[in-house]
Amino acid sequence: MNQMLLALWRYRHFMISAIKADLRTRFNRSKLGASWMILQPLAQVAIYAVVLSSLLAAKLPAGKGAHLSYAVYLIAGMVPWSLFAEVTSRSLTMFVDNAGLMKKIAFPRICIPVITLGGALVNHSLLLLATLAIILITNHPITWLVLWVPLLTMVLLVFAAALGLVLGVINVFVRDVGQVMNVVLQLWFWMTPIVYVADVLPKQFQSIVAFNPVTPVIQGYQNVLLFQQMPPYVRLSLLLVGSTVFLGLALYMFRKASPELVDVL
């Protein structure tokens, strides 16, 4: 572990340059450039708000059933989900996409997952700033509880990094994983209380949603950005402990598979 951390520090400038190059490449020749990182999730929120607000806005807790409150509820859940989905989906192919670089240049392979996380975190930060602006525009207060957001983001990143690293390594050897995860992520989205309130579900589905590891982070964002309530810190603590153990196992798996990655790619 110490060797990995030391290698990351030595190659910090390389990783920063790679994150900048990745952002430039993704939006090269685009008129709106990095604005698409914000516009795409906001457009998705707008669609859900228009289609579902008449059905689900009244299901929010008393006093929060206004039409604009449902839009804020949606975007408060969509912001962390976008981060989780981006880290997971990009991690799936991070070693395959960087196969040429791994074969030509000698550098610590652990830099690739960190570069993927860094790019996703930049996107998340811009989307979060846009979300805070929307909350103010819609006359919803931003309280000191917003200080929980960095901690919620860290908990989500630990879990997403562990899952992404495992999936990225497996995808090098079994390419079907990528196709399967596209379907799993769609199902996972609807099993997470982003467009609905968990209380409206039948009892048997509520228990499934409760065991969803992403749920406490999503509800934490919704609590601090809309309901002005504390996040479910007990469940978040359990998630952080479990995710840290999961990340340790993922790093062990990556270390064991690392010598064979370039040969298989």
Side-chain angles (χ1 to χ4, degrees):
M1 179 60 75
N2 290 337
Q3 292 179 346
M4 281 188 180
L5 293 176
L6 186 60
L8 289 175
W9 175 252
R10 287 176 176 169
Y11 282 80
R12 61 190 183 282
H13 298 299
F14 165 75
M15 292 187 290
I16 293 172
S17 299
I19 292 171
K20 291 179 179 177
D22 176 60
L23 293 174
R24 282 196 299 267
T25 303
R26 288 169 61 186
F27 301 103
N28 190 26
R29 298 184 181 179
S30 170
K31 297 293 183 184
L32 297 179
S35 301
W36 284 114
M37 293 188 295
I38 300 172
L39 293 176
Q40 288 175 345
L42 292 185
Q44 194 173 5
V45 167
I47 293 170
Y48 285 131
V50 170
V51 175
L52 299 174
S53 61
S54 60
L55 294 175
L56 296 173
K59 303 298 183 183
L60 292 176
K64 300 293 182 182
H67 176 72
L68 290 178
S69 293
Y70 180 67
V72 174
Y73 177 83
L74 271 173
I75 196 170
M78 196 67 77
V79 169
W81 174 261
S82 297
L83 175 64
F84 172 71
E86 181 176 359
V87 171
T88 305
S89 58
R90 295 191 65 193
S91 295
L92 262 172
T93 59
M94 59 185 174
F95 297 119
V96 177
D97 293 341
N98 290 284
L101 186 65
M102 293 172 67
K103 292 176 181 177
K104 294 177 181 176
I105 303 177
F107 66 96
R109 304 304 185 231
I110 192 63
C111 290
I112 291 179
V114 177
I115 291 169
T116 303
L117 287 178
L121 198 56
V122 170
N123 295 353
H124 176 74
S125 300
L126 294 175
L127 182 58
L128 181 61
L129 289 176
T131 299
L132 294 178
I134 290 173
I135 290 173
L136 290 176
I137 291 171
T138 55
N139 291 322
H140 288 81
I142 295 177
T143 67
W144 67 269
L145 289 168
V146 75
L147 296 175
W148 275 93
V149 168
L151 183 60
L152 293 167
T153 304
M154 183 197 72
V155 174
L156 183 62
L157 272 181
V158 173
F159 175 70
L163 180 62
L165 187 56
V166 170
L167 293 174
V169 171
I170 295 176
N171 191 52
V172 172
F173 301 95
V174 185
R175 300 295 169 88
D176 295 330
V177 175
Q179 304 303 322
V180 173
M181 277 307 298
N182 288 333
V183 178
V184 170
L185 278 177
Q186 292 181 42
L187 178 62
W188 202 332
F189 174 82
W190 288 105
M191 295 308 296
T192 307
I194 298 171
V195 301
Y196 57 82
V197 181
D199 294 343
V200 305
L201 295 174
K203 292 292 183 183
Q204 62 270 28
F205 289 108
Q206 286 186 26
S207 59
I208 296 175
V209 170
F211 279 107
N212 181 347
V214 182
T215 294
V217 177
I218 300 292
Q219 291 178 331
Y221 266 77
Q222 293 163 340
N223 282 0
V224 301
L225 294 181
L226 175 61
F227 300 132
Q228 284 82 55
Q229 297 176 1
M230 293 290 286
Y233 48 84
V234 174
R235 292 162 60 201
L236 286 168
S237 300
L238 293 174
L239 175 61
L240 180 59
V241 172
S243 299
T244 303
V245 174
F246 186 21
L247 182 59
L249 294 174
L251 287 171
Y252 177 78
M253 175 184 175
F254 167 74
R255 188 176 177 182
K256 288 292 183 183
S258 186
E260 300 179 24
L261 289 180
V262 176
D263 295 334
V264 177
L265 287 169

